[in-house]
Amino acid sequence: MQSPWHADGPWLRCSLHAHTTNSDGELAPRALARHYERAGFDVLALTDHWHRSEAPSGDRLLVLAGVELNCLLPGDRDGHVLGLGIERDPSELAGERLELAPTTEWITDAGGVAFLAHPYWTGATPGTLELPETVAGIEVFNAGCELEVGRGLSAVHWDELLEDGRLCGAIATDDSHHPGFDSVHAWTWVRAERTREQVLEALRSGCFYASSGPAIHDVTREADVVEVHSSPVRSIMLVSGRTIGAAVNAGRLGYRHGGDVLAESDEGLVVRAKLRIPDGARHVRVEATDVSGRKAWANPIPV
Ligand SMILES: [Zn+2]
Ligand SMILES: [Zn+2]
């Protein structure tokens, strides 16, 4: 997986899951694009249900055509899959709900990148998901699912995949249907030039991180130590296998477990920390949480 902190190019703030009047969203595609452009985004993927939506890109905002398809997950569950950057019309599938693998094969054949949407909201059982190689990753956080029913965070689903050795990336999204109310809550920072091809390639290769607030400025690894530089946060964690990990927490009595704070902000929050990779770890991922409970999630590093 390509580390975005060891890549070249600008950081692009990307909204990768949003609906328009072409399915159950409130704004037409052009109006939604203007909304995200004004909000300071660099990339918007339109992901209507079973409809390939498009809008012109602006001076700043690159618009990607996309789709959200239904598929069959194990246990006869209804899954949702994002197809970002597709160049073919999903009407080819005639609304047929296929299993995850053929669904995501169609997406990749259509030139797109596939991410499994909101597994917690869907009801997928953690530890039972199998991601075919045609799936680039999952949504670790979906703001709409959080705002509506409190099932936006799918970190357990992600960690169980990682525990199984399936080192995939994770994005954070709005899944906006009512812009202004359910938009600009979660996004994905992609490190790439602002072209369709470069953004899709970065999404395929893991060259991004997800956020609902904090910024992660740098993640570097040397031997068994990971150093993280972030915006001011109350904690930085190394999440790893079951029962193992490392963490630093802010404050005079801030708990340290396998890590040290290297620098604090004026308010005493953590901005730089080093964390030791625990014995037995096969992978680690960095997670930062700010004082409002908003998070940033970096993609896994194999150990
Ligand atoms: Zn969905
Ligand atoms: Zn959706």
Side-chain angles (χ1 to χ4, degrees):
M1 203 166 283
Q2 169 70 50
S3 161
W5 296 281
H6 296 105
D8 295 322
W11 286 99
L12 304 176
R13 191 182 187 191
C14 303
S15 177
L16 300 175
H17 186 168
H19 296 269
T20 77
T21 45
N22 287 332
S23 61
D24 50 355
E26 266 185 43
L27 291 185
R30 282 169 182 267
L32 187 69
R34 274 202 302 275
H35 173 79
Y36 273 103
E37 189 158 34
R38 279 187 185 178
F41 279 72
D42 303 293
V43 178
L44 168 67
L46 301 172
T47 56
D48 279 306
H49 299 285
W50 290 94
H51 186 103
R52 181 181 179 276
S53 292
E54 284 184 285
S57 295
D59 288 342
R60 174 188 174 127
L61 186 82
L62 171 71
V63 180
L64 298 175
V67 74
E68 182 171 18
L69 299 172
N70 300 69
C71 73
L72 271 177
L73 291 180
D76 243 6
R77 300 244 182 233
D78 183 37
H80 291 190
V81 184
L82 300 175
L84 308 175
I86 53 163
E87 293 186 300
R88 280 177 14 214
D89 197 293
S91 59
E92 284 177 18
L93 294 165
E96 204 186 337
R97 210 165 48 127
L98 305 170
E99 292 189 342
L100 182 58
T103 305
T104 54
E105 271 159 35
W106 182 86
I107 290 168
T108 50
D109 285 351
V113 182
F115 282 87
L116 184 69
H118 48 59
Y120 181 30
W121 183 87
T122 301
T125 310
T128 65
L129 270 177
E130 277 182 32
L131 286 195
E133 285 305 316
T134 42
V135 183
I138 72 166
E139 279 181 343
V140 64
F141 185 71
N142 177 302
C145 295
E146 185 66 24
L147 289 168
E148 289 191 347
V149 294
R151 292 174 74 107
L153 184 62
S154 296
V156 177
H157 298 76
W158 191 23
D159 284 329
E160 290 297 308
L161 285 164
L162 302 180
E163 180 88 30
D164 280 348
R166 179 64 170 90
L167 292 197
C168 63
I171 58 175
T173 68
D174 280 333
D175 197 358
S176 177
H177 292 74
H178 313 288
F181 296 101
D182 62 357
S183 57
V184 196
H185 289 287
W187 49 88
T188 302
W189 284 108
V190 172
R191 189 133 193 216
E193 297 298 331
R194 203 194 63 138
T195 67
R196 174 185 172 278
E197 292 69 29
Q198 295 295 312
V199 170
L200 294 181
E201 185 48 38
L203 288 169
R204 278 185 206 105
S205 66
C207 194
F208 59 87
Y209 76 93
S211 180
S212 59
I216 300 178
H217 300 309
D218 199 16
V219 175
T220 52
R221 178 190 170 191
E222 254 192 63
D224 65 343
V225 174
V226 175
E227 192 170 319
V228 182
H229 177 205
S230 69
S231 56
V233 291
R234 74 173 188 214
S235 70
I236 299 177
M237 316 262 179
L238 266 192
V239 182
S240 184
R242 294 177 189 130
T243 76
I244 55 174
V248 295
N249 293 278
R252 189 172 61 84
L253 298 175
Y255 190 53
R256 313 275 152 89
H257 179 74
D260 291 302
V261 173
L262 299 178
E264 292 179 342
S265 67
D266 292 344
E267 311 82 50
L269 295 168
V270 181
V271 294
R272 199 180 281 276
K274 65 177 183 185
L275 299 141
R276 276 179 293 285
I277 295 173
D279 289 344
R282 285 174 297 162
H283 72 276
V284 291
R285 64 175 182 85
V286 170
E287 187 171 308
T289 307
D290 73 13
V291 284
S292 305
R294 302 179 304 175
K295 288 175 178 284
W297 302 264
N299 286 331
I301 305 166
V303 171

